[in-house]
Amino acid sequence: MSWKITVLAPRDVVQAALIAHEDVFDWDGDIVIAGSEIAEDRPDDWQLEAWFDRKPTAADRAAIAALFVDGMPKPVVEKLPETDWVTLSQAGVEPIREGPFHVHTPDYAPLEEPGVRDFVIPASLAFGTGQHATTAGCLAMLAHMKAQGVIVRSLADIGTGTGLLAFAGLYLWPHARALASDIDAVCGPVMALNADTNHVPLGDGPGKLAMVIAAGTDHPLIRASAPFDLLIANILAGPLVELAPDFADSVVPGGSVLLSGLLTTQEPAVRAAYARAGLRLAARLTRGDWSVLWLRRRSHGRIRASAVGKLPEWSRRW
């Protein structure tokens, strides 16, 4: 990306713009946007950033401005060095610990502690190094599910990015059949390289991971492999709502769906969509402004929801 537009605004204003972005069906896929705190000690001061591979046109600026209902604050438009913004933003990030997992870039050494699974995830074009609160929260929830006695013989990670959550699932349930997919073709070689680096066997069978490029569950291998005991989707609230019926049909009765990528303000809409599809909340946790939800498909028994209060809070904010 060679150009960027930055808009400084209060947190609620930026979050509202991000939600508005999800409702734009004809959004230009070449414009990548994100919202974040300006600094950890200023939690209410946020920025919305939009990256372009071209100089922003008047139409591009209008598209960003339209996300702000009460008018967009004055934007800052700048040309960036010719580099990959995702890699740059993730380079040199500190390792994290979540449950039994230690996730780090190649710049850091593994912990090599008993009971700790090290994952080396280089900064890359694919989302999911573990540094984002949603990815880290999913790692924590997976560990909680394992501790609660959840049995997984088959799992799918939809929107896998780097493959990290699928790798984590296979570590916790090493005899499961696993499948990882993403809509973005760039994730294919990234997932394969990360699997090789982390000694995750690829293929179709117990203890192995198959990888496909697909939108949602729209792939012959996903359909043939379903229903799963566990489906993971760390994407965005809009697609989560839209895919609720498909995800519900893709898990066994009593099976689990792990969702993230949604703001806490978006949680009611997401939970309502999955309730209509026959899933009920088993547990939830929040990391800053983000929610992580463990849902289960109805079987003959009743599911009792709980908060995962003992899980450590995410100490860094995106």
Side-chain angles (χ1 to χ4, degrees):
M1 304 293 181
S2 57
W3 288 81
K4 183 174 74 166
I5 292 178
T6 303
V7 180
L8 303 180
R11 177 176 62 177
D12 59 342
V13 173
V14 173
Q15 289 182 348
L18 294 173
I19 294 172
H21 164 255
E22 293 186 20
D23 293 332
V24 180
F25 294 102
D26 58 349
W27 185 262
D28 185 343
D30 291 333
I31 305 175
V32 178
I33 72 168
S36 63
E37 292 178 351
I38 294 174
E40 288 188 27
D41 59 350
R42 297 166 59 187
D44 293 325
D45 295 332
W46 275 45
Q47 60 185 353
L48 184 142
E49 298 172 289
W51 289 268
F52 303 81
D53 60 0
R54 59 183 184 270
K55 184 176 181 179
T57 64
D60 293 332
R61 298 189 190 203
I64 302 298
L67 301 178
F68 295 85
V69 176
D70 296 323
M72 180 177 67
K74 184 178 180 180
V76 176
V77 183
E78 58 184 317
K79 186 176 182 180
L80 303 175
E82 291 301 325
T83 187
D84 160 28
W85 70 268
V86 178
T87 300
L88 181 64
S89 69
Q90 296 175 354
V93 292
E94 295 181 0
I96 65 163
R97 276 295 308 275
E98 286 292 348
F101 304 113
H102 176 241
V103 185
H104 59 97
T105 65
D107 301 316
Y108 294 89
L111 289 183
E112 297 182 347
E113 293 181 5
V116 174
R117 177 55 159 103
D118 280 283
F119 286 120
V120 181
I121 305 293
S124 72
L125 281 169
F127 179 82
T129 63
Q131 299 299 323
H132 192 284
T134 59
T135 308
C138 285
L139 291 173
M141 187 65 86
L142 286 170
H144 175 71
M145 293 166 65
K146 176 70 174 182
Q148 294 300 305
V150 172
I151 297 173
V152 175
R153 294 167 293 264
S154 60
L155 67 92
D157 180 13
I158 308 298
T160 189
T162 62
L164 174 59
L165 296 180
F167 302 165
L170 267 181
Y171 171 75
L172 294 172
W173 296 279
H175 301 297
R177 293 175 179 265
L179 189 154
S181 73
D182 203 283
I183 194 172
D184 191 345
V186 76
C187 295
V190 170
M191 287 188 289
L193 178 60
N194 288 339
D196 181 66
T197 299
N198 290 282
H199 309 292
V200 177
L202 299 180
D204 180 21
K208 295 182 179 181
L209 175 65
M211 298 181 178
V212 298
I213 300 299
T217 58
D218 187 18
H219 191 280
L221 183 58
I222 298 176
R223 291 192 291 268
S225 302
F228 303 96
D229 295 310
L230 169 62
L231 186 147
I232 306 165
N234 179 20
I235 44 179
L236 293 170
L240 288 178
V241 169
E242 181 181 350
L243 290 166
D246 289 343
F247 285 174
D249 289 341
S250 298
V251 295
V252 299
S256 297
V257 174
L258 175 56
L259 305 178
S260 196
L262 60 145
L263 294 163
T264 53
T265 54
Q266 299 168 318
E267 183 180 331
V270 173
R271 286 174 57 175
Y274 283 82
R276 289 192 294 271
L279 287 92
R280 294 295 180 267
L281 184 69
R284 67 182 291 272
L285 65 86
T286 58
R287 295 296 170 89
D289 297 294
W290 302 93
S291 294
V292 180
L293 306 178
W294 170 20
L295 305 165
R296 300 193 74 172
R297 183 178 173 184
R298 283 190 177 277
S299 57
H300 296 295
R302 183 177 180 181
I303 299 168
R304 184 176 64 184
S306 65
V308 189
K310 294 185 179 180
L311 289 174
E313 282 299 315
W314 179 239
S315 60
R316 295 170 58 91
R317 297 196 181 199
W318 181 51

